[in-house]
Amino acid sequence: MSVENFSAAADKAIKNDGLQQRLAHITHEFINKRQAAVNAVPDWEAWRVAGKNIKQHAIEHLDIYLEEFEKNLTNAGGELHYCQTGEEAADKILRICQQHKAQLVVKSKSMVAEEINLNQHFAKNNIKLVETDLGDYIVQLRGDEPAHPIAPALHVGKAMVAETFRQEHKNLPRNRPLESIGDLMAEARGILRKDFLTADVGITGANFLVAESGSVVLVTNEGNGDLVSTLPPVHIVVTTIDKIVPTLYDASHLLRLLCRSATGQPITSYASFFTGNNQTQDGDGAIAFHVLLLNNNRTQLLADDLRPALSCIKCGACLNHCPVYQTVGGASYGGAQMGPIGSAIAPAISGIKRANDLVFASTLCGRCDDVCPVKIPISHLLRRQREWSFLQKTIAPQKQRWLKYFRRASQSPKKFRHASHAVRRMLRFYNRHGMIKNIGLFPPARPWFAKKNLPSPAKKSFFDKVK
């Protein structure tokens, strides 16, 4: 799947009834849990403002804090690698694994690893890489794309997971029950335990990088991140430059925002802080500790008014509240950048021409702005990307023409009134019992009516009533 294929993938997702049911259930569950967690914090808005200020300060002084992080990480026995492109990062990780003669690599949740297609790169070079987050493990076995940053297998039902395990787990007894979530988790845990104990290298992502201590902060709910990072002799962290925060206090405040916004928890089950390598070479902890910092055009965002996009803490709240995401799911976005904030960032990473459809994958209703824990003006960023798309002429010629017509009409009150009157009459022609369910003579609007209906417009416009 690729970002260019968003429209086709979205059309396919809309027609998938099973996916639609699971999206409706899961996203509303996330929304309700988040709202309950937010209601329990009397000064939530003050928390959001503080979170915004922390991230904004860190991004504005990125060079200073990256240097401080590197110094403290190196002093603690870690090694830092800067990578400009996804290909460079994937090659660097592969070389580290080959230096340690790795045959088996275990990986915990990392959206950056998905961004650089790390699994595919390892497969080409004959190194076995096993996902250990239960959702990612299921997605890997099925050959699917992740559907959500914190619930990658939300599109897969229990029966489908059981069927996948029976197909892929060769020694699974036929009579073993796989009906409950507990059954499925026990089966996956038994398989993955062997991989944890025999892996040569562990790879994780990072939620935050703390400049003052050189620490890497990792948040998980299953504990697999700790097993991946402490049991193998080599630990590789792959993340991006925008994860930097100045202090441990800043990281703790963002953790409170992250957990409540993502899963509705006051704090996640496992919040792990890794600082350097195991220098005594006994007890827990990797002997070799590497951190890869990927740029992948993110520094381009520093130079213009898209900079707030770098403040994202990857909670997924904007996805859960987005009517477009609720309809098409995460796999339709064709990569690790999903939902409203992903659509704002994707053009920088993939180019505006490839990611053009994504910047229009939003109703601009502003719900993403309202729930973002660090107050990123996501709908404004998407408008900015649309302007850029129009200037670069990456929009389809037909859409470009309609936008020009709209611009001309909206610049003249008289033309706008005539145009809106004509549109109102046309819509009323398709009125069926107060609702409009298709508008066949106007092709650009057909995809919209594939999923939504429109109330019939009033006989008189607001302007006609008050003039």
Side-chain angles (χ1 to χ4, degrees):
M1 194 69 71
S2 172
V3 293
E4 298 107 314
N5 301 324
F6 174 79
S7 296
D11 186 53
K12 189 177 178 181
I14 288 171
K15 296 171 183 171
N16 184 335
D17 293 335
L19 174 65
Q20 292 300 308
Q21 291 174 4
R22 285 186 287 278
L23 280 172
H25 172 71
I26 296 293
T27 53
H28 283 90
E29 188 174 317
F30 278 133
I31 290 171
N32 293 337
K33 286 183 176 178
R34 174 200 166 272
Q35 192 59 54
V38 168
N39 291 343
V41 180
D43 51 351
W44 177 250
E45 280 306 304
W47 282 29
R48 291 180 72 204
V49 172
K52 173 188 174 184
N53 292 339
I54 289 170
K55 288 296 297 184
Q56 189 171 312
H57 173 81
I59 296 300
E60 288 175 354
H61 301 85
L62 192 59
D63 53 342
I64 296 172
Y65 289 121
L66 283 174
E67 281 188 15
E68 185 179 355
F69 174 78
E70 181 175 8
K71 182 186 74 174
N72 291 323
L73 172 74
T74 305
N75 290 340
E79 191 172 347
L80 187 67
H81 312 269
Y82 286 102
C83 298
Q84 291 300 319
T85 67
E87 292 79 9
E88 184 183 344
D91 282 339
K92 184 63 186 177
I93 296 170
L94 179 67
R95 285 201 300 275
I96 294 172
C97 291
Q98 290 172 335
Q99 287 167 6
H100 291 276
K101 303 184 186 311
Q103 297 295 314
L104 174 62
V105 175
V106 285
K107 182 162 83 67
S108 180
K109 182 65 182 170
S110 168
M111 292 178 66
V112 179
E114 291 160 16
E115 180 179 322
I116 64 177
N117 297 316
L118 187 63
N119 293 21
Q120 295 86 333
H121 195 59
F122 271 44
K124 288 178 185 173
N125 289 277
N126 301 316
I127 293 181
K128 183 180 179 182
L129 186 150
V130 178
E131 297 282 359
T132 62
D133 176 278
L134 180 58
D136 280 321
Y137 177 65
I138 294 167
V139 167
Q140 184 183 36
L141 289 182
R142 293 174 56 82
D144 288 348
E145 298 283 340
H148 192 282
I150 60 173
L154 70 76
H155 59 297
V156 187
K158 280 191 297 184
M160 296 164 69
V161 176
E163 182 184 350
T164 302
F165 283 178
R166 292 201 185 280
Q167 289 175 351
E168 300 295 331
H169 293 175
K170 303 304 180 189
N171 297 320
L172 173 62
R174 287 180 174 275
N175 60 351
R176 179 166 183 179
L178 292 178
E179 297 172 358
S180 69
I181 292 177
D183 293 338
L184 297 170
M185 290 179 64
E187 169 61 19
R189 188 181 295 120
I191 297 292
L192 291 174
R193 183 70 63 180
K194 299 170 191 170
D195 292 329
F196 286 130
L197 293 172
T198 56
D200 304 299
V201 174
I203 297 175
T204 70
N207 292 91
F208 305 108
L209 305 172
V210 184
E212 71 170 357
S213 62
S215 304
V216 173
V217 184
L218 179 65
V219 174
T220 66
N221 261 324
E222 300 171 18
N224 61 310
D226 286 357
L227 296 174
V228 166
S229 55
T230 55
L231 293 180
V234 181
H235 179 194
I236 302 173
V237 178
V238 53
T239 188
T240 50
I241 56 175
D242 50 310
K243 297 292 176 65
I244 201 83
V245 295
T247 67
L248 287 165
Y249 177 84
D250 295 332
S252 67
H253 181 79
L254 293 172
L255 271 176
R256 295 186 183 100
L257 289 169
L258 171 65
C259 300
R260 286 173 171 83
S261 300
T263 57
Q265 297 168 284
I267 190 68
T268 189
S269 301
Y270 300 88
S272 307
F273 290 67
F274 305 104
T275 306
N277 65 336
N278 178 5
Q279 298 183 12
T280 61
Q281 300 192 12
D282 58 4
D284 294 331
I287 297 169
F289 184 60
H290 299 267
V291 178
L292 270 84
L293 286 184
L294 175 66
N295 182 352
N296 215 11
N297 294 328
R298 284 173 172 79
T299 46
Q300 288 185 5
L301 297 173
L302 286 171
D304 62 26
D305 55 2
L306 293 170
R307 178 183 287 192
L310 296 175
S311 294
C312 179
I313 59 174
K314 304 292 186 293
C315 67
C318 64
L319 282 71
N320 300 331
H321 290 76
C322 175
V324 174
Y325 176 86
Q326 289 172 358
T327 304
V328 304
S332 300
Y333 292 83
Q337 309 299 331
M338 308 173 189
I341 188 64
S343 298
I345 295 173
I349 294 173
S350 304
I352 189 66
K353 188 174 182 180
R354 291 185 64 210
N356 188 68
D357 283 353
L358 293 188
V359 302
F360 292 90
S362 169
T363 62
L364 300 182
C365 64
R367 293 176 76 187
C368 48
D369 303 346
D370 296 337
V371 299
C372 177
V374 290
K375 298 181 79 71
I376 300 174
I378 300 173
S379 59
H380 168 77
L381 302 183
L382 286 168
R383 286 192 187 91
R384 176 69 183 83
Q385 292 286 23
R386 291 183 185 188
E387 291 170 7
W388 180 241
S389 174
F390 185 81
L391 292 172
Q392 292 296 307
K393 298 183 178 179
T394 56
I395 306 174
Q398 189 181 45
K399 287 184 181 177
Q400 195 99 358
R401 281 197 299 276
W402 283 110
L403 286 172
K404 285 181 180 177
Y405 297 151
F406 179 77
R407 184 182 63 181
R408 288 173 189 169
S410 59
Q411 287 175 335
S412 162
K414 186 177 179 181
K415 289 181 180 177
F416 189 81
R417 276 199 303 277
H418 287 310
S420 60
H421 181 67
V423 170
R424 198 167 61 251
R425 288 188 62 183
M426 182 184 69
L427 289 175
R428 288 187 63 77
F429 177 78
Y430 290 98
N431 174 34
R432 299 292 183 271
H433 307 294
M435 297 297 291
I436 300 166
K437 298 184 178 180
N438 67 74
I439 184 167
L441 295 179
F442 190 59
R446 286 176 186 165
W448 198 88
F449 286 97
K451 186 63 182 175
K452 303 287 184 183
N453 297 327
L454 189 70
S456 180
K459 291 181 180 178
K460 280 191 173 184
S461 69
F462 177 76
F463 181 83
D464 291 335
K465 290 181 179 179
V466 300
K467 69 179 180 181

